[in-house]
Amino acid sequence: MFATSLALLSQEFQSRERGTAFGIWGATVGAAVAIGPLAGGVLTATLGWRWIFFVNLPVGAAALALSAARLRESSDPEHSRLDPPGLVTFSGGVFLLIFALVRGNALGWQSGWILACLVGGSALLVAFLLVEARRERSMFDLTLFRKPAFVGAQLVAFTISAGIFAMFLYLTLYLQNVLGYSPLQAGLRFLPVSVVSFVAAPVAGKLSAHAPPRVLLGVGLGLVALGLLLMHGVDRNSSWLHLLPGFLVSGAGIGMTNPVLASTAIGVVRTERAGMASGINTTFRQVGIATGIAGLGAVFEHHVQTRVADAAARAGASATQSGRIGRAAASGRVEEALRALPAGARRAVAEAAQVAFVGGLNELFAIGAVVSAAGALLAFALVRRRDFVRPGGAG
């Protein structure tokens, strides 16, 4: 849906109208990402957690009806066939690498399974590049990566997803498991992000017709990095207000980056190839989120698990119990594991779990800020006006 929506906007809007359209699109995306926890909280508190799946049925039906009534068909006749070899090698390679990141701590980074996944995933991605380079009608046109601006757009998509969007999971865990908010209360505290993002995106969309895209992308990701640094420093006695300045600043960064990123990703190709370009950009977004959640999770799990396991061992738990409690704390289930400890030891281990949790969260804030700052620098360096295609031009 992400890929198709960008291609449709590229087809329907030109010149300054396109900037406004992408601004509205970016505002919608930014708001939706932050409102998701609020909507999930409402559904969980009222209808039950299963409705987070059922709610997609009426939304999907409405989208189908609007699409049938309002959208014009378009396609690129040169690249309209499926690419099974590319699909299998790329999907398999990404799956194995993400699986290794997710399971590395649990199985051990030197275990046969993890090493096999890392080697196999890398081999499949190399095979993917070879397959796409030799196919006449490939799923992934590698020649697009000859343009620095296109490369910059993909790196920005990856870094904003890995730097801030992946962080929402761990922020949600902090608000609920450490601060004790319900799903609905936690969702309400994400509203500052969505409101500021919603306001900033249309402004950035209009500015994109006048200001260099690399400046807007660089400043946007710089604000995301600054927002994450402002969130850094939480401790077990902090309230959610400690996060508020970071929420506001990072929300502005998200709102500034999204529409400009969308217009950049498809602005360097002909209109009929916008679907492929936006599909590639969406792939980098989704891989960024998956990699960010898995990579940050590996760091977070290691930090929390080792510290809580040490605290449990000092409280008299066996090695097996200590390891189980450490893993439970890293996944937000510490209360369940504490029942295995003597009553007198539970409080000390629970406090250690909270300290370890916020300590791990601070590490993630720092990592996310570095990733976002790197994306800002790459945007400044790579995204250039001369790589963009004028309407009707070749690309």
Side-chain angles (χ1 to χ4, degrees), residues 62 95 149 152 228 230 245 253 278 282 316 326-327 340:
F95 169 79
L228 289 167
L230 290 173
S278 61
T282 298
R327 289 189 294 272

Side-chain angles (χ1 to χ4, degrees), residues 114-372:
I114 297 302
L115 292 176
C117 287
L118 292 172
V119 173
S122 300
L124 283 173
L125 290 180
V126 171
F128 168 75
L129 294 176
L130 295 175
V131 166
E132 297 304 284
R134 295 179 180 180
R135 285 182 65 87
E136 181 179 352
R137 297 180 177 179
S138 59
M139 174 182 73
F140 226 92
D141 187 354
L142 299 178
T143 63
L144 293 175
F145 288 90
R146 295 174 184 172
K147 293 188 174 184
F150 188 78
V151 175
Q154 312 322 312
L155 294 175
V156 169
F158 181 91
T159 53
I160 192 173
S161 296
I164 184 66
F165 290 151
M167 195 69 68
F168 284 126
L169 169 64
Y170 300 99
L171 286 167
T172 301
L173 292 174
Y174 169 70
L175 290 172
Q176 293 191 38
N177 295 340
V178 176
L179 298 186
Y181 291 118
S182 68
L184 177 57
Q185 291 171 331
L188 286 170
R189 280 152 180 84
F190 281 108
L191 282 179
V193 180
S194 61
V195 170
V196 174
S197 176
F198 191 83
V199 172
V203 176
K206 291 184 178 180
L207 285 175
S208 64
H210 309 285
R214 66 176 183 173
V215 172
L216 296 175
L217 290 173
V219 172
L221 274 172
L223 289 173
V224 170
L226 177 59
L228 289 167
L229 289 177
L230 290 173
M231 296 181 212
H232 190 276
V234 294
D235 58 44
R236 60 186 300 264
N237 297 315
S238 298
S239 74
W240 85 274
L241 292 175
H242 177 96
L243 302 174
L244 184 58
F247 277 5
L248 296 174
V249 174
S250 60
I254 292 170
M256 179 174 289
T257 303
N258 268 329
V260 184
L261 173 58
S263 61
T264 299
I266 65 173
V268 295
V269 301
R270 302 189 312 270
T271 300
E272 63 268 23
R273 307 201 69 187
M276 175 183 288
S278 61
I280 294 172
N281 191 249
T282 298
T283 297
F284 274 84
R285 281 180 179 271
Q286 300 303 325
V287 171
I289 291 176
T291 304
I293 289 175
L296 293 175
V299 173
F300 181 78
E301 183 179 354
H302 176 75
H303 179 99
V304 176
Q305 183 174 329
T306 54
R307 284 158 178 76
V308 175
D310 288 344
R314 290 194 300 270
S318 66
T320 302
Q321 285 179 322
S322 299
R324 185 168 62 249
I325 292 170
R327 289 189 294 272
S331 61
R333 297 180 293 107
V334 66
E335 292 184 3
E336 173 185 327
L338 288 176
R339 298 192 189 104
L341 288 174
R346 292 175 187 172
R347 181 174 180 180
V349 175
E351 290 178 355
Q354 286 195 342
V355 171
F357 194 103
V358 296
L361 189 63
N362 281 321
E363 284 192 10
L364 301 193
F365 287 144
I367 294 171
V370 170
V371 170
S372 301

Side-chain angles (χ1 to χ4, degrees), residues 94-110:
V94 172
F95 169 79
L96 289 176
L97 293 179
I98 297 299
F99 181 84
L101 286 173
V102 170
R103 299 294 294 162
N105 281 332
L107 299 179
W109 291 101
Q110 296 181 341

